[in-house]
Amino acid sequence: MKLAVRTMISLMLAFAPGLAGAQGLDPGDKTVIFTPDDPDMALATAKARSRLDEFLALSEAPPPGTDTFKLKVKVRDGHVTEHFWVIPFSRTGAGFVGILANQPEGVHNVVLGQAIEFTRDDISDWGYRSGGRQVGSFTVCVMFKKMSKEEADAMREQYGFDC
């Protein structure tokens, strides 16, 4: 089992440099800071977690016209927590493994393109594309409220968000 996970991680790392850009994520995206008790972000995370099983089942047997299945995962480094998109990801015996698709700013124990292991409890959001439009990504919709209208509109248009 460990050999299979190591092999998968090695393959994922081999393809990691092209994945962040290929999946429509910009490693240079601006970080948006939220307090741990932000009510809108807590609601978005709760909504994502309540539908996580539905998303995971869909990601294992993607219907035609869907792609870019991703999970948003929290990473802790001491007292600092930061959330990252992980693309691609897969289940393991103990949880999940995937490639970090964003550049860390607050935590220093991970790097862009690194394979990380995480559990279901670390997942704060999920998303995928269907017909060129984003499905899920509930926390991103909350982030738009903290951006300028122009910036949020540009992201909605470029990445296909309907929120």
Side-chain angles (χ1 to χ4, degrees):
M1 178 66 161
K2 287 185 180 183
L3 179 59
V5 172
R6 284 188 194 133
T7 302
M8 181 182 61
I9 290 171
S10 296
L11 289 171
M12 289 167 57
L13 283 173
F15 295 110
L19 286 174
Q23 299 294 343
L25 294 178
D26 178 3
D29 281 346
K30 184 174 129 185
T31 300
V32 180
I33 305 297
F34 287 85
T35 60
D37 60 346
D38 183 276
D40 290 336
M41 192 58 76
L43 187 61
T45 299
K47 185 174 183 178
R49 291 180 58 82
S50 74
R51 296 179 52 196
L52 183 57
D53 288 331
E54 169 190 337
F55 167 78
L56 291 172
L58 194 67
S59 73
E60 290 173 359
T66 62
D67 61 25
T68 318
F69 287 82
K70 60 192 174 204
L71 290 171
K72 189 177 255 187
V73 176
K74 65 182 169 186
V75 174
R76 292 181 193 90
D77 184 5
H79 296 293
V80 178
T81 300
E82 196 169 347
H83 295 254
F84 301 93
W85 288 110
V86 174
I87 305 171
F89 68 91
S90 62
R91 290 187 196 224
T92 66
F96 301 86
V97 64
I99 301 294
L100 201 69
N102 303 102
Q103 182 67 47
E105 291 189 22
V107 300
H108 303 289
N109 57 346
V110 295
V111 296
L112 173 68
Q114 176 180 337
I116 62 169
E117 295 181 14
F118 54 96
T119 68
R120 183 183 185 95
D121 291 340
D122 296 319
I123 298 171
S124 56
D125 201 356
W126 53 263
Y128 65 96
R129 287 188 327 170
S130 179
R133 305 302 298 169
Q134 292 290 327
V135 177
S137 301
F138 305 103
T139 60
V140 175
C141 294
V142 175
M143 294 168 72
F144 288 156
K145 295 177 184 179
K146 289 205 171 196
M147 297 177 179
S148 71
K149 179 179 179 349
E150 296 78 20
E151 191 176 26
D153 287 347
M155 284 193 69
R156 282 186 188 100
E157 180 65 28
Q158 181 177 359
Y159 296 113
F161 287 97
D162 291 323
C163 53

